[in-house]
Amino acid sequence: MARDEISAEVARREAGTSSIADVFSGVVVPPAGAGHDVTRAWYAANGDIERAHTTGTFVREPRRGEVGPVLVVYVDTKARVTDFSANSEVYLARLANAGHPFCKVEFRLSRYPRRPPAPGGEKNVSPATATAAAAPRRALTPRERDEIESLCSNLPASLRATVSRAMSASYEADCGER
């Protein structure tokens, strides 16, 4: 009889086996750990603009009338809140295709703005533009103002003001004598 009890106990234990990964996933990873997967899915399902302007995500429990969880995405500017909200159906479809169905996506303005890029880290800025922007400025002399005015006098009226401002900025940035 003792042998039958041992056999029954062994059979019971073997039927309830689980891998060590299953045991630890229930203990180590909190139930809200799915938020990290959603953030990765958000970044993977969307383009460079969405990635560049997203500051954080989290999954909100459904409220009355909502049929599923809601993805809340924090972005860095009000303009992006409006822009992304207009495309929320596209984002819902992309996330559903990635295996994360939500009933809705909400976009909110982040309280924590992104840090400005480090000096020299700006994209699409030519070295000449960066140097001109960093160069010390000085006031134009009357002779320089007259020279700019005479050089721009033959230009069409639609270009005259723009070219004059550009030349003035160039002269102001130039620390040498003319």
Side-chain angles (χ1 to χ4, degrees), residues 102-163:
F102 292 97
C103 73
K104 121 181 175 181
V105 178
E106 290 179 1
F107 295 95
R108 297 181 186 171
L109 182 62
S110 176
R111 292 183 190 177
Y112 308 103
R114 289 190 178 276
R115 292 184 192 134
E122 297 88 2
K123 291 184 180 178
N124 300 324
V125 177
S126 71
T129 305
T131 303
R137 302 265 180 193
R138 62 175 179 81
L140 292 177
T141 65
R143 187 176 131 251
E144 289 171 332
R145 276 191 230 113
D146 292 339
E147 184 179 350
I148 291 170
E149 189 176 325
S150 77
L151 290 171
C152 294
S153 64
N154 294 333
L155 293 173
S158 60
L159 292 177
R160 196 173 300 139
T162 304
V163 172

Side-chain angles (χ1 to χ4, degrees), residues 1 8 46 61-62 67 77 79 86-88 91 95 97-99 104 106 114 118 128-129 149 154-156 159 164 167:
M1 294 263 174
N46 294 299
E61 292 298 317
V67 294
T77 64
N87 294 320
S88 64
Y91 299 129
L95 289 164
N97 285 336
K104 121 181 175 181
E106 290 179 1
R114 289 190 178 276
T129 305
E149 189 176 325
N154 294 333
L155 293 173
L159 292 177
S164 176
M167 289 181 71

Side-chain angles (χ1 to χ4, degrees), residues 64-89:
R64 188 178 310 188
E66 295 173 340
V67 294
V70 175
L71 176 63
V72 178
V73 180
Y74 285 97
V75 295
D76 58 356
T77 64
K78 288 181 183 179
R80 290 297 172 189
V81 170
T82 303
D83 185 32
F84 291 176
S85 294
N87 294 320
S88 64
E89 294 298 320

Side-chain angles (χ1 to χ4, degrees), residues 28-74:
V28 175
V29 179
H36 183 68
D37 292 338
V38 171
T39 300
R40 284 190 303 183
W42 171 257
Y43 283 128
N46 294 299
D48 293 338
I49 293 174
E50 289 84 1
R51 285 190 291 273
H53 293 282
T54 298
T55 60
T57 64
F58 80 92
V59 178
R60 178 176 62 74
E61 292 298 317
R63 294 183 182 147
R64 188 178 310 188
E66 295 173 340
V67 294
V70 175
L71 176 63
V72 178
V73 180
Y74 285 97

